[in-house]
């Protein structure tokens, strides 16, 4: 088995909740893909204090996660997913049926490019982000932690406005999220998973986005999920199927 190393943003833990593997849902997505394929790996955090120096050496885009596989380096969670699927095709995370594969593609894209920004919006405008920020940067000295929190807030607000969602009031965004969760509930009730009767890449992507936000940082979303029992059951199933193997 080749050596697999996954570079990630630091994890965090909110008091009273289980530790969250990483602060970015995209790293959780890759963690769950590796778990589904029963691939042992080593995770290394790029700490906030060393980020400016180390990250450019790892990632051309300046983003995490980054996978090192037998000396080959891959960045971007979707690229990593297809890289691993090509080298470890079983169990398959891409449906064989072309219609289900198309659904898988669009739901993974929706998770990464839409649901992600809803999460940023919720943290900034609905839950106000204080619990997440305090946990996220807990490992930094106090002075640096304050600076990191302020920079994170400024970045999030700027990106929300650029993306466009930041110009909407909370009731509109909440309604959009609820419609998305309702649609996922329909898929799950019909088939067991979001893109058919078996776990897929779309499940891993959606799990990553929701798991990151349900780690004690988003009581509003916790309530919305609790109001949809099929999604709660789905989340438990995905968690059981993708629980990562012990790291090397």
């Amino acid at each position: 088995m080749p050596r697999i190393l996954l570079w990630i943003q630091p994890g965090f833990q909110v008091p009273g909740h289980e530790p969250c593997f990483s602060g970015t849902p995209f790293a959780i997505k890759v963690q769950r893909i590796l778990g589904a394929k029963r691939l042992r790996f080593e995770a290394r955090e790029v700490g906030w204090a060393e980020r400016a120096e180390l990250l450019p050496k790892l990632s051309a885009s300046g983003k995490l996660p980054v996978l090192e596989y037998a000396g080959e380096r891959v960045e971007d969670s979707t690229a990593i997913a297809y890289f691993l699927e090509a080298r470890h095709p079983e169990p398959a995370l891409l449906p064989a049926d072309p219609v289900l594969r198309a659904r898988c593609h669009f739901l993974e894209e929706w998770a990464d490019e839409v649901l992600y920004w809803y999460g940023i919006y919720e943290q900034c405008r609905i839950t106000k982000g204080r619990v997440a920020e305090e946990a996220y940067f807990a490992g930094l000295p106090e002075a640096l932690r304050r600076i990191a929190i302020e920079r994170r807030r400024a970045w999030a607000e700027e990106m929300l406005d650029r993306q466009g969602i930041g110009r909407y009031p909370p009731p509109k965004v909440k309604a959009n999220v609820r419609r998305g969760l309702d649609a996922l509930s329909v898929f799950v009730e019909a088939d067991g998973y979001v893109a058919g009767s078996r776990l897929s890449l779309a499940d891993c992507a959606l799990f990553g986005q929701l798991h990151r936000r349900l780690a004690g940082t988003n009581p509003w979303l916790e309530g919305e999920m609790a109001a949809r029992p099929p999604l709660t059951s789905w989340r438990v199933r995905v968690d059981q199927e993708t629980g990562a193997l012990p790291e090397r």
Side-chain angles (χ1 to χ4, degrees), residues 55-74:
L55 191 54
K57 299 175 183 178
L58 293 172
S59 170
S61 65
K63 296 181 179 182
L64 294 171
V66 171
L67 184 82
E68 290 189 16
Y69 181 100
E72 189 170 355
R73 189 173 290 167
V74 187

Side-chain angles (χ1 to χ4, degrees), residues 18-34:
E18 293 293 323
C20 190
F21 175 72
S22 176
T24 171
F26 304 106
I28 299 169
K29 170 185 170 183
V30 174
Q31 174 208 19
R32 296 298 169 149
I33 291 168
L34 290 164

Side-chain angles (χ1 to χ4, degrees), residues 56-121:
K57 299 175 183 178
L58 293 172
S59 170
S61 65
K63 296 181 179 182
L64 294 171
V66 171
L67 184 82
E68 290 189 16
Y69 181 100
E72 189 170 355
R73 189 173 290 167
V74 187
E75 58 183 280
D76 180 78
S77 63
T78 299
I80 292 169
Y82 280 86
F83 177 90
L84 291 171
E85 189 76 4
R87 284 154 183 79
H88 301 275
E90 295 297 333
L93 291 180
L94 297 175
D97 178 82
V99 174
L100 292 178
R101 185 178 287 227
R103 187 201 295 181
C104 176
H105 166 74
F106 277 104
L107 286 175
E108 187 223 1
E109 189 80 357
W110 182 79
D112 288 358
E113 307 300 337
V114 178
L115 191 56
Y116 171 77
W117 289 109
Y118 286 147
I120 299 295
Y121 185 101

